[in-house]
Amino acid sequence: MTALAIVFSSILYLLGFICIPFRIIAAPACSFLGLLILSFSHNDAGYPLLPVGSSLIFGWLCVTVLVTVVTLIQPAPVRDARKGMGYIFIGALTGLAIGLLGFTITNSIGALYAIMVICTAAGTFLGYLIFTNTPDGRRVRAGSGNFFSYLLAKGFPTAITVMQAGVVLVLLIAMHTLIN
C-alpha cells in the first residue's frame, strides 16, 4: 500500500506540473492532493511515511484555496494566456533547487522550509521578470497595468504548486540527514 501511495502521489505532482502551462487553475489542487495522500500514508510498521502534521496540511489547503480564488478572479484573457509560462516554471524550479541547498547551511527543519519557500517565490518572480523583458512579455511589464494581474494569475499558482512538491523534498532530505 505504501508503494501505491508513493506512485499515486508522484503522478499527482507530475500532473500538477503538466497543468501549469495548460490548465493552471488545476495545478495547485493536484499538488495539494499529492501532499495529502503522502500525509495519510504509513509504512508497514505503522509509522507515517513523512512527518506531515495536520497544521501543515490545513495551511497548504488554505493556500491552495486562496490561490484558486485569486486565479479565478483575474480577467479571463489573462487566465487563459500561456505566454511566459516556461520562464515562470523554470524560475520556480530553479528557486526550488537553490532552496533545497539550504541543507548546507542549517539542519533546522523550520529554517530549511522557509529557505525553500523564499527561494521558490524569488525564482518564480525572477522568471516572470525575465519574461517581461522579452518581446512577448512587453504587454505585462511593470507599469503596464497588467503586471500584477498576470503575476497573480500565472506566478502565484506556479509558485504554490512547486512549493508543495518542495515540502515533500524538504521532509525527505531532513529525514535522510537525521538517519545518517
Side-chain angles (χ1 to χ4, degrees), residues 23-167:
R23 187 81 172 138
I24 199 156
I25 196 76
C30 290
S31 192
F32 174 73
L33 289 174
L35 181 63
L36 187 66
I37 287 171
L38 286 177
S39 73
F40 288 126
S41 302
H42 291 73
N43 62 14
D44 295 335
Y47 295 108
L49 285 178
L50 290 175
V52 179
S54 58
S55 61
L56 186 72
I57 292 296
F58 183 71
W60 281 109
L61 173 64
C62 292
V63 170
T64 302
V65 170
L66 176 70
V67 74
T68 303
V69 169
V70 166
T71 304
L72 283 173
I73 63 174
Q74 300 308 314
V78 172
R79 252 192 346 253
D80 297 336
R82 292 186 184 168
K83 292 185 178 186
M85 291 309 300
Y87 293 97
I88 295 169
F89 184 56
I90 296 299
L93 289 178
T94 303
L96 174 65
I98 291 169
L100 292 177
L101 292 176
F103 283 95
T104 61
I105 299 169
T106 181
N107 285 333
S108 167
I109 301 283
L112 296 170
Y113 184 72
I115 291 169
M116 181 273 301
V117 168
I118 290 168
C119 287
T120 303
T124 304
F125 186 71
L126 290 175
Y128 178 64
L129 286 180
I130 291 170
F131 167 64
T132 61
N133 288 310
T134 65
D136 286 338
R138 287 187 184 141
R139 294 180 33 222
V140 293
R141 273 193 180 155
S144 67
N146 297 322
F147 182 80
F148 288 110
S149 181
Y150 204 80
L151 182 62
L152 288 174
K154 302 299 179 186
F156 192 31
T158 301
I160 297 305
T161 301
V162 173
M163 283 177 199
Q164 288 177 0
V167 169

